[in-house]
Amino acid sequence: MTDAPSIDQAAQRLQAFAAATRSLSPEVFAQQHGPAFLLFSGGARGLSPLASSERTITGSGSDRPGFKPNQDFLVFPIVSRRTSGSGAISVGRTARADVVIPDGSLTRVQAFFRRDGDRFMLADAASKNGTWLDGQPVPSWSSQTWVEVPSGARVRFGDLHMTFLTAGPFIELVLRLT
């Protein structure tokens, strides 16, 4: 996994969005920061070294004493970094993924999100450890079956449990916690 960035390069903290949630309309916020987000509640205390300077994410976070949501949530905006292509947004541990999550249980390309109007669809990328939505396995993209991901859903990539939020509920969370 030599091509994975550090967690500080891949994720942002919840508090990094505080000013924008207070000053931008929801539409402008979504345009500038992304239409949807993955949240991990492990924060800095959940990081463990992999190899050399690489980091991984472990733990669940919110049940730990001293947990501070505005500091301990890691936020991964679901946005494409490419200007052309299939429209699919890749999630994986490689620096080439659109959404980089440097965790050892994820494959280089773990899954794909696709936007269908206001809906978000998810497919596994035939990953080794699988992708799960609210406890159910997500079909592989090769089956051409995508599942809809509702805001607030629990998504598991490999061993990593995250929460999916669209921009509106994400803004509400940031305003409530920061």
Side-chain angles (χ1 to χ4, degrees):
M1 191 162 77
T2 59
D3 59 352
S6 71
I7 194 64
D8 291 326
Q9 294 168 322
Q12 297 176 329
R13 304 284 188 239
L14 196 69
Q15 63 196 14
F17 297 92
T21 60
R22 289 176 176 81
S23 64
L24 301 174
S25 71
E27 295 78 21
V28 173
F29 179 89
Q31 289 173 352
Q32 290 185 7
H33 298 282
F37 303 85
L38 290 167
L39 276 73
F40 174 73
S41 62
R45 288 185 222 105
L47 301 179
S48 302
L50 274 179
S52 65
S53 63
E54 294 171 351
R55 306 291 260 171
T56 188
I57 306 168
T58 60
S60 65
S62 60
D63 57 347
R64 288 193 310 267
F67 179 73
K68 298 175 184 155
N70 62 338
Q71 296 174 8
D72 291 342
F73 275 119
L74 298 178
V75 179
F76 300 87
I78 300 174
V79 294
S80 176
R81 297 188 306 178
R82 296 167 296 205
T83 56
S84 63
S86 66
I89 300 167
S90 61
V91 177
R93 71 176 191 222
T94 180
R96 288 180 228 116
D98 294 309
V99 181
V100 179
I101 304 174
D103 184 86
S105 70
L106 274 73
T107 56
R108 291 182 185 276
V109 178
Q110 178 77 26
F112 297 101
F113 279 99
R114 183 184 75 197
R115 202 159 174 198
D116 185 8
D118 289 337
R119 302 179 322 153
F120 283 84
M121 311 301 284
L122 179 64
D124 184 67
S127 63
K128 180 180 177 185
N129 292 330
T131 300
W132 301 73
L133 176 63
D134 288 332
Q136 299 297 313
V138 172
S140 172
W141 64 272
S142 62
S143 71
Q144 299 184 358
T145 303
W146 293 71
V147 294
E148 184 175 354
V149 186
S151 191
R154 296 290 291 166
V155 180
R156 188 180 103 199
F157 300 110
D159 297 333
L160 187 65
H161 296 262
M162 303 181 92
T163 301
F164 172 86
L165 289 176
T166 55
F170 177 74
I171 291 168
E172 292 172 16
L173 178 72
V174 174
L175 289 171
R176 195 172 66 240
L177 296 177
T178 60

